[in-house]
Amino acid sequence: QLQLVESGGGLVQPGGSLRLSCAASGFTLRYYAIGWFRQAPGKEREGVLCMDSGGRSANYADSVKGRFTISRDAAKNTVYLQMNSLKPEDTAVYYCARSDANCSPYDGDFVFWGQGTQVTVSS
């Protein structure tokens, strides 16, 4: 079964940190570009960060620059999103997704998605 499973979401206070995991099954994720996206209620989905098959990262959202980082553990077939200095506006469902090509700025190029994990930043 091809599968991407996000985990690590939850409730955190402003200024706090979370690490999200994107665990892949049925394929080797280091051969693909893996992107993190998020969608808040009533808002359109936006790209956050992406890692290509060469381990290079691409930043999609200026709002997370310097606060979020993407990393990969090939042995665990998992990509992580480390989120620091969280703000209420970071509240969203966070998704990871696979692109067969590269870290495209267009989310339509990511054709395989996980189910998402909820991140809520609130005091």
Side-chain angles (χ1 to χ4, degrees), residues 68-103:
F68 292 10
T69 56
I70 190 169
S71 62
R72 183 177 68 193
D73 187 333
K76 296 182 178 179
N77 211 30
T78 299
V79 169
Y80 302 95
L81 182 68
Q82 179 67 47
M83 305 185 295
N84 299 324
S85 301
L86 283 162
K87 304 174 181 179
E89 52 263 43
D90 295 319
T91 296
V93 177
Y94 283 72
Y95 301 88
C96 63
R98 187 186 85 177
S99 171
D100 293 344
N102 51 41
C103 283

Side-chain angles (χ1 to χ4, degrees), residues 105-116:
Y106 309 109
D107 60 3
D109 289 334
F110 291 79
V111 298
F112 186 64
W113 295 75
Q115 293 186 1

Side-chain angles (χ1 to χ4, degrees), residues 10-58:
L11 176 64
V12 65
Q13 296 185 63
S17 298
L18 285 173
R19 189 179 73 163
L20 306 184
S21 298
C22 174
S25 299
F27 68 96
T28 302
L29 64 77
R30 66 182 175 90
Y31 296 147
Y32 301 88
I34 305 296
W36 283 100
F37 299 82
R38 65 185 183 184
Q39 188 167 27
K43 303 291 182 64
E44 66 182 15
R45 180 180 291 156
E46 66 171 341
V48 180
L49 282 168
C50 180
M51 177 168 285
D52 68 17
S53 60
R56 296 176 292 271
S57 64

